[in-house]
Amino acid sequence: MDTPRPAATVAVVTVRVVSPLPAVAAGLRTMLTAHPAVAVVDEHHPLPSDPDVVLYDAHALVDGGADLERLLATPSLVLAVCNGLRPALAGEASARGAHGTIDLGTDRDGLVESVLSAIGAARSGASGPATGPGSLRRLGASAGLTPREVDVLSQITQGLSNQEIAEQSYLSINSVKTYIRSAYRRIGVTSRAQAVVWCVQNGFPSMLAA
């Protein structure tokens, strides 16, 4: 007679959602709560230890995002949740140290997979940002783009002019042109149209998706 094997223990990942928008926070918590491998913790109650993952709504960066630095100083893996129609916030979150970014428009399965793959990679010692169906990844990583070059290319892909990019990024027009030239060299293009095609093919949100 065979001896019954004990049931496998599921490693539960603790996740805290941080957002200035109650509707966004509630929606993310609802999507995560149904999964048996995820335990959502209340951001307003202290824990014995830091959560495994913090989902940080990049919309908070509009007001300065001072809490992002505090979260990044903890052992938690910080994943910025970003609206695909505001790629500049994704670029800023990455530039300020977020460990990965996730598209706010992803579905439940994509969100859970992104969280679990990110913490799995971190625990195994693998390098790199969060990946998966819901992840924006670190855009342009394969081409060696800097966060500022990613930000500028993202805004080009959204159809912004150089002047609009300068105004939104608080850069001079000459600085914008410098970042554009260096980004073009890295991705091997010579025109704005070629850059947009490259960006769309490499996962940058485009105005066509709006």
Side-chain angles (χ1 to χ4, degrees):
M1 180 175 179
D2 294 334
T3 302
R5 294 182 179 180
T9 301
V10 176
V12 176
V13 175
T14 54
V15 180
R16 173 171 285 167
V17 177
V18 177
S19 173
L21 305 176
V24 171
L28 292 172
R29 291 192 191 102
T30 298
M31 286 196 291
L32 292 168
T33 298
H35 199 281
V38 177
V40 180
V41 297
D42 192 327
E43 67 175 297
H44 300 297
H45 290 81
L47 297 174
S49 61
D50 293 295
D52 297 312
V53 177
V54 173
L55 290 186
Y56 178 81
D57 183 0
H59 183 79
L61 296 175
V62 173
D63 295 324
D67 53 345
L68 179 57
E69 282 70 23
R70 176 180 57 80
L71 293 169
L72 288 169
T74 72
S76 301
L77 192 71
V78 180
L79 304 178
V81 183
C82 309
N83 186 329
L85 299 180
R86 302 194 66 178
L89 292 180
E92 183 177 350
S94 295
R96 292 173 68 167
H99 302 112
T101 56
I102 298 176
D103 188 347
L104 182 60
T106 190
D107 60 15
R108 177 180 299 179
D109 291 340
L111 176 65
V112 171
E113 183 176 341
S114 294
V115 169
L116 296 182
S117 64
I119 194 63
R123 286 174 173 173
S124 66
S127 60
T131 57
S135 175
L136 293 176
R137 302 174 298 280
R138 287 194 189 278
L139 296 174
S142 62
L145 292 167
T146 67
R148 182 61 80 178
E149 289 167 348
V150 167
D151 189 18
V152 169
L153 284 178
S154 295
Q155 294 183 78
I156 286 175
T157 309
Q158 291 292 314
L160 275 64
S161 68
N162 288 1
Q163 185 59 47
E164 289 171 327
I165 295 172
E167 292 171 356
Q168 291 203 15
S169 302
Y170 302 101
L171 296 170
S172 69
I173 192 68
N174 288 334
S175 293
V176 170
K177 292 178 180 178
T178 296
Y179 286 122
I180 289 174
R181 286 194 296 268
S182 62
Y184 282 11
R185 285 196 300 270
R186 292 184 194 275
I187 65 177
V189 304
T190 57
S191 70
R192 208 175 191 88
Q194 291 174 345
V196 170
V197 170
W198 185 94
C199 288
V200 171
Q201 291 176 341
N202 285 271
F204 283 64
S206 75
M207 61 182 178
L208 299 178

